[in-house]
Amino acid sequence: MRIGAPRELHDGEARVSMTPASARDLRKLGHACLIEAGAGLA
């Protein structure tokens, strides 16, 4: 399964729904993790 984490579009919002640790855990379970470019830069 592919699991995606989009970047937040609202002004002042900098949170991302997937952390590096959660992405690692999901990959261990056989899932593909996709994180949108620019996510978390704010």
Side-chain angles (χ1 to χ4, degrees):
M1 177 187 313
R2 284 184 243 163
I3 301 171
R7 63 184 174 91
E8 185 56 64
L9 298 177
H10 296 289
D11 290 335
E13 186 62 69
R15 295 179 291 176
V16 180
S17 60
M18 189 179 306
T19 65
S22 64
R24 264 190 307 275
D25 292 341
L26 289 167
R27 293 207 26 105
K28 287 179 186 176
L29 295 172
H31 303 295
C33 299
L34 306 169
I35 301 174
E36 186 175 0
L41 289 179

